[in-house]
Amino acid sequence: MISPQRDLVTSAIKVLNVITTDIPIFDSSESDSNGYPQIIISTGSTGDSQRAKNEQRSSYTLYVDYFDTVDNDHGLMMDTCFSIREYLKYLRLSSYNCSSVAFNQVEVIDNSTDQSLRHVTITMDYNITEKSFI
């Protein structure tokens, strides 16, 4: 069976490919290109040391990192971020039940590359449980 993290990333990429047809989307395990704009999807991991031995993990975080050059249309980028947040609130996974519980969005200007980039990080927190079959 696919892991909740893999299902989360795969499902998010499928949704974002539909709503952002002109922006390349990468899994964090793939190498990204030098072209902008681009979106990178990854999941966070909570350390097992923070849980009791019999506690099942049910909360997961999805990270959407959206990069674009500062010269491109900032309004379009913000509209796209809004759409991403709205669609990911209602994300459906193939093997698990999933409900969005919170999100956060942070924007910074990144000058660490040869061109100035806007970097928006959207974090989406989910409760994920196994689907039960009766």
Side-chain angles (χ1 to χ4, degrees):
M1 177 182 262
I2 188 172
S3 73
Q5 294 96 332
R6 186 79 242 142
D7 202 355
L8 192 59
V9 169
T10 304
S11 299
I13 289 172
K14 284 179 188 174
V15 167
L16 296 185
N17 275 326
V18 171
I19 64 171
T20 59
T21 56
D22 55 342
I23 302 171
I25 298 172
F26 299 96
D27 183 325
S28 64
S29 64
E30 297 175 2
S31 60
D32 57 336
S33 70
N34 290 328
Y36 298 100
Q38 66 174 271
I39 295 174
I40 301 173
I41 307 290
S42 60
T43 57
S45 59
T46 303
D48 286 336
S49 62
Q50 297 173 1
R51 295 185 287 134
K53 285 192 182 280
N54 61 350
E55 180 185 3
Q56 287 191 334
R57 181 173 175 185
S58 63
S59 62
Y60 296 86
T61 302
L62 180 72
Y63 297 95
V64 179
D65 290 297
Y66 183 174
F67 298 91
D68 201 355
T69 60
V70 294
D71 299 334
N72 286 344
D73 185 355
H74 185 246
L76 178 61
M77 186 180 195
M78 291 298 96
D79 289 346
T80 303
C81 288
F82 176 79
S83 296
I84 288 170
R85 286 193 324 267
E86 289 304 304
Y87 277 90
L88 291 182
K89 278 184 192 176
Y90 305 103
L91 187 63
R92 293 200 179 274
L93 305 184
S94 60
S95 302
Y96 298 89
N97 293 317
C98 174
S99 62
S100 173
V101 293
F103 75 88
N104 189 29
Q105 180 173 314
V106 177
E107 179 179 354
V108 297
I109 302 295
D110 183 356
N111 292 313
S112 64
T113 62
D114 57 347
Q115 51 187 321
S116 291
L117 300 175
R118 278 186 176 54
H119 177 189
V120 176
T121 301
I122 301 170
T123 55
M124 303 288 297
D125 292 334
Y126 296 94
N127 282 336
I128 297 176
T129 55
E130 289 188 15
K131 289 183 177 178
S132 57
F133 300 102
I134 298 175

